[in-house]
mmCIF file of all heavy atoms in Angstrom:
data_model
loop_
_atom_site.group_PDB
_atom_site.id
_atom_site.type_symbol
_atom_site.label_atom_id
_atom_site.label_comp_id
_atom_site.label_asym_id
_atom_site.label_seq_id
_atom_site.Cartn_x
_atom_site.Cartn_y
_atom_site.Cartn_z
ATOM 1 N N LYS A 7 -2.820 15.847 -7.806
ATOM 2 C CA LYS A 7 -3.262 17.213 -7.939
ATOM 3 C C LYS A 7 -3.918 17.361 -9.227
ATOM 4 O O LYS A 7 -3.415 16.969 -10.396
ATOM 5 C CB LYS A 7 -2.014 18.148 -7.809
ATOM 6 C CG LYS A 7 -2.395 19.636 -7.981
ATOM 7 C CD LYS A 7 -2.000 20.236 -9.265
ATOM 8 C CE LYS A 7 -2.670 21.605 -9.523
ATOM 9 N NZ LYS A 7 -2.196 22.085 -10.883
ATOM 10 N N GLY A 9 -5.538 20.197 -11.848
ATOM 11 C CA GLY A 9 -5.510 21.677 -12.134
ATOM 12 C C GLY A 9 -6.884 22.139 -12.622
ATOM 13 O O GLY A 9 -7.846 21.300 -12.773
ATOM 14 N N GLY A 10 -7.009 23.488 -12.789
ATOM 15 C CA GLY A 10 -8.316 24.070 -13.044
ATOM 16 C C GLY A 10 -9.090 23.560 -14.293
ATOM 17 O O GLY A 10 -10.251 23.342 -14.229
ATOM 18 N N SER A 41 -7.360 22.772 -7.760
ATOM 19 C CA SER A 41 -7.366 24.115 -8.153
ATOM 20 C C SER A 41 -8.733 24.596 -8.250
ATOM 21 O O SER A 41 -9.740 23.829 -8.298
ATOM 22 C CB SER A 41 -6.606 24.426 -9.393
ATOM 23 O OG SER A 41 -5.332 24.069 -9.374
ATOM 24 N N ALA A 42 -8.900 25.971 -8.425
ATOM 25 C CA ALA A 42 -10.255 26.517 -8.699
ATOM 26 C C ALA A 42 -10.659 26.034 -10.078
ATOM 27 O O ALA A 42 -9.935 25.844 -10.977
ATOM 28 C CB ALA A 42 -10.147 28.060 -8.690
ATOM 29 N N GLY A 44 -11.776 25.797 -13.784
ATOM 30 C CA GLY A 44 -11.599 26.596 -14.985
ATOM 31 C C GLY A 44 -11.018 27.984 -14.791
ATOM 32 O O GLY A 44 -9.900 28.122 -14.235
ATOM 33 N N THR A 47 -10.362 31.769 -10.928
ATOM 34 C CA THR A 47 -9.418 32.662 -10.400
ATOM 35 C C THR A 47 -9.416 34.017 -11.211
ATOM 36 O O THR A 47 -9.381 35.166 -10.533
ATOM 37 C CB THR A 47 -7.984 32.078 -10.184
ATOM 38 O OG1 THR A 47 -8.173 30.819 -9.494
ATOM 39 C CG2 THR A 47 -7.058 32.963 -9.285
ATOM 40 N N ASP A 48 -9.275 33.862 -12.509
ATOM 41 C CA ASP A 48 -9.242 35.089 -13.362
ATOM 42 C C ASP A 48 -10.568 35.892 -13.166
ATOM 43 O O ASP A 48 -10.549 37.054 -13.105
ATOM 44 C CB ASP A 48 -9.171 34.691 -14.794
ATOM 45 C CG ASP A 48 -7.696 34.226 -15.083
ATOM 46 O OD1 ASP A 48 -6.750 34.582 -14.419
ATOM 47 O OD2 ASP A 48 -7.630 33.310 -15.883
ATOM 48 N N LEU A 70 -9.641 35.082 -3.405
ATOM 49 C CA LEU A 70 -9.222 34.146 -4.369
ATOM 50 C C LEU A 70 -9.197 32.699 -3.749
ATOM 51 O O LEU A 70 -9.409 31.656 -4.393
ATOM 52 C CB LEU A 70 -7.726 34.403 -4.792
ATOM 53 C CG LEU A 70 -7.589 35.659 -5.697
ATOM 54 C CD1 LEU A 70 -6.250 35.783 -6.344
ATOM 55 C CD2 LEU A 70 -8.643 35.692 -6.804
ATOM 56 N N GLU A 74 -10.839 27.663 -4.804
ATOM 57 C CA GLU A 74 -10.454 26.258 -4.439
ATOM 58 C C GLU A 74 -11.430 25.757 -3.547
ATOM 59 O O GLU A 74 -11.724 24.492 -3.520
ATOM 60 C CB GLU A 74 -8.957 26.285 -3.849
ATOM 61 C CG GLU A 74 -7.930 26.184 -4.831
ATOM 62 C CD GLU A 74 -7.637 27.406 -5.778
ATOM 63 O OE1 GLU A 74 -8.228 28.478 -5.464
ATOM 64 O OE2 GLU A 74 -6.992 27.358 -6.754
ATOM 65 N N GLY A 135 -5.918 23.622 -2.929
ATOM 66 C CA GLY A 135 -4.494 24.074 -3.305
ATOM 67 C C GLY A 135 -4.411 25.614 -3.188
ATOM 68 O O GLY A 135 -5.371 26.328 -2.928
ATOM 69 N N PHE A 136 -3.142 25.970 -3.273
ATOM 70 C CA PHE A 136 -2.887 27.506 -3.491
ATOM 71 C C PHE A 136 -3.125 28.295 -2.216
ATOM 72 O O PHE A 136 -2.747 29.512 -2.184
ATOM 73 C CB PHE A 136 -3.774 27.964 -4.604
ATOM 74 C CG PHE A 136 -3.917 29.402 -5.072
ATOM 75 C CD1 PHE A 136 -2.841 30.120 -5.362
ATOM 76 C CD2 PHE A 136 -5.207 29.981 -4.978
ATOM 77 C CE1 PHE A 136 -2.948 31.369 -5.905
ATOM 78 C CE2 PHE A 136 -5.197 31.346 -5.382
ATOM 79 C CZ PHE A 136 -4.279 32.014 -5.806
ATOM 80 N N GLY A 149 0.534 32.378 -4.782
ATOM 81 C CA GLY A 149 0.882 32.901 -6.160
ATOM 82 C C GLY A 149 0.281 32.060 -7.188
ATOM 83 O O GLY A 149 -0.021 30.927 -6.994
ATOM 84 N N ARG A 150 0.054 32.723 -8.364
ATOM 85 C CA ARG A 150 -0.608 31.987 -9.418
ATOM 86 C C ARG A 150 0.073 30.651 -9.730
ATOM 87 O O ARG A 150 1.240 30.576 -9.758
ATOM 88 C CB ARG A 150 -0.656 32.886 -10.733
ATOM 89 C CG ARG A 150 -1.441 34.051 -10.498
ATOM 90 C CD ARG A 150 -2.907 34.049 -10.096
ATOM 91 N NE ARG A 150 -3.713 33.099 -10.928
ATOM 92 C CZ ARG A 150 -4.444 33.468 -12.036
ATOM 93 N NH1 ARG A 150 -4.542 34.641 -12.311
ATOM 94 N NH2 ARG A 150 -5.205 32.488 -12.589
ATOM 95 N N GLY A 151 -0.772 29.679 -9.926
ATOM 96 C CA GLY A 151 -0.159 28.334 -10.315
ATOM 97 C C GLY A 151 0.287 27.566 -9.073
ATOM 98 O O GLY A 151 0.785 26.460 -9.195
ATOM 99 N N GLY A 152 -0.059 28.076 -7.840
ATOM 100 C CA GLY A 152 0.543 27.592 -6.579
ATOM 101 C C GLY A 152 -0.065 26.233 -6.151
ATOM 102 O O GLY A 152 0.517 25.693 -5.139
ATOM 103 N N SER A 153 -1.070 25.792 -6.702
ATOM 104 C CA SER A 153 -1.642 24.517 -6.192
ATOM 105 C C SER A 153 -0.607 23.316 -6.425
ATOM 106 O O SER A 153 -0.662 22.416 -5.680
ATOM 107 C CB SER A 153 -2.938 24.145 -6.961
ATOM 108 O OG SER A 153 -3.948 25.029 -6.674
ATOM 109 N N ASP A 154 0.163 23.424 -7.508
ATOM 110 C CA ASP A 154 1.280 22.454 -7.700
ATOM 111 C C ASP A 154 2.140 22.329 -6.413
ATOM 112 O O ASP A 154 2.647 21.286 -5.947
ATOM 113 C CB ASP A 154 2.184 22.792 -8.890
ATOM 114 C CG ASP A 154 1.445 22.824 -10.206
ATOM 115 O OD1 ASP A 154 0.427 22.121 -10.306
ATOM 116 O OD2 ASP A 154 1.852 23.484 -11.110
HETATM 117 N N1 LIG B 2 -6.298 28.868 -8.866
HETATM 118 C C1 LIG B 2 -4.912 29.433 -8.778
HETATM 119 C C2 LIG B 2 -4.531 30.051 -10.123
HETATM 120 O O1 LIG B 2 -5.333 30.074 -11.011
HETATM 121 C C3 LIG B 2 -3.997 28.308 -8.409
HETATM 122 C C4 LIG B 2 -3.644 27.084 -9.322
HETATM 123 O O2 LIG B 2 -4.442 26.946 -10.291
HETATM 124 O O3 LIG B 2 -2.698 26.548 -9.108
HETATM 125 O O4 LIG B 2 -3.400 30.568 -10.286
#
Side-chain angles (χ1 to χ4, degrees):
K7 180 260 171 178
S41 297
T47 308
D48 291 328
L70 296 191
E74 273 69 13
F136 172 62
R150 297 302 307 267
S153 297
D154 298 334

